[in-house]
Amino acid sequence: VKAYDPFGAFTWSNQSNWFVTLSRSQVDSEDGILRVRIEPELPGSKYLLISYLSREENFNVKSAFQEVIYDSLIKDILPGAYEVRIYDIDMNTYTVSSEQVLYLQMKYRDENDDGYIDGTSIPAERLNICWIEDDRWVPLLEKSIDSVNKKVKNLSFKSGIFSLFGTDVREHIISN
């Protein structure tokens, strides 16, 4: 079957080579937790794709989460991670070019609006999106917190695997 996307690109479909997108340059994860936008816009037949990765099923994710267990101040907020990649219609992967920036937004839970992540003692301002580098979670720079819409926003200049973490550092524990 010849499959066309809303932008006019096409490919021959098969059971293991398909995904749905409404925009070449912005995509949401299936669970709605992660939104990624790339600027400038992707050319031609390239697309952003987000895949959820379970820590039990992916070796890199499992190894990186294992490192967090040994640091009592860093807490994982999500049960897994998200892989963000650029693909073409034939499912070939591409890297983010030097002129492109990924804008990532992850939702967090604070249903009682107390400023802390539900079920934790982590304040929302201590959240950060991290990505896997050399089997370790590395915080992204350029962080902002949208406490009204309960989102953490970061920039990334690389595609890869991302998740949400917080630091549980209480002010009364740290003294001069």
Side-chain angles (χ1 to χ4, degrees):
V1 174
K2 192 174 188 178
Y4 289 88
D5 77 357
F7 310 103
F10 67 89
T11 188
W12 292 97
S13 65
N14 63 46
Q15 287 183 324
S16 63
N17 184 12
W18 68 276
F19 61 91
V20 176
T21 185
L22 298 176
S23 170
R24 283 197 175 105
S25 299
Q26 180 172 296
V27 65
D28 293 332
S29 60
E30 286 185 20
D31 59 10
I33 291 176
L34 176 61
R35 171 172 282 177
V36 180
R37 180 173 44 91
I38 191 168
E39 288 184 7
E41 188 170 301
L42 290 170
S45 60
K46 293 183 182 163
Y47 304 87
L48 280 172
L49 178 66
I50 299 174
S51 303
Y52 178 78
L53 303 174
S54 163
R55 67 175 84 188
E56 292 82 25
E57 297 172 3
N58 184 286
F59 178 77
N60 290 336
V61 173
K62 184 176 184 174
S63 296
F65 273 111
Q66 195 67 30
E67 288 292 320
V68 173
I69 292 172
Y70 300 117
D71 190 334
S72 62
L73 299 178
I74 299 174
K75 305 293 183 196
D76 53 316
I77 305 300
L78 301 173
Y82 298 89
E83 183 174 33
V84 176
R85 296 279 181 226
I86 299 171
Y87 289 91
D88 67 11
I89 59 175
D90 295 318
M91 296 305 286
N92 298 310
T93 60
Y94 296 86
T95 59
V96 175
S97 73
S98 60
E99 304 88 40
Q100 292 173 315
V101 178
L102 291 175
Y103 295 90
L104 295 101
Q105 295 181 50
M106 279 195 180
K107 293 181 182 177
Y108 63 87
R109 294 186 62 130
D110 179 16
E111 294 198 12
N112 60 0
D113 290 323
D114 64 354
Y116 289 84
I117 307 313
D118 291 347
T120 75
S121 58
I122 299 170
E125 69 263 7
R126 296 233 174 89
L127 292 175
N128 207 341
I129 299 173
C130 299
W131 72 293
I132 294 180
E133 181 178 44
D134 299 326
D135 292 330
R136 299 188 82 107
W137 291 106
V138 178
L140 296 175
L141 303 175
E142 304 291 329
K143 174 185 84 169
S144 69
I145 304 291
D146 178 350
S147 59
V148 173
N149 296 306
K150 298 181 178 50
K151 295 178 183 177
V152 180
K153 300 176 182 182
N154 286 95
L155 302 178
S156 178
F157 299 98
K158 296 181 180 181
S159 54
I161 299 173
F162 301 91
S163 195
L164 186 61
F165 292 87
T167 52
D168 191 8
V169 180
R170 296 181 192 106
E171 299 298 326
H172 68 275
I173 295 174
I174 300 173
S175 63
N176 291 335

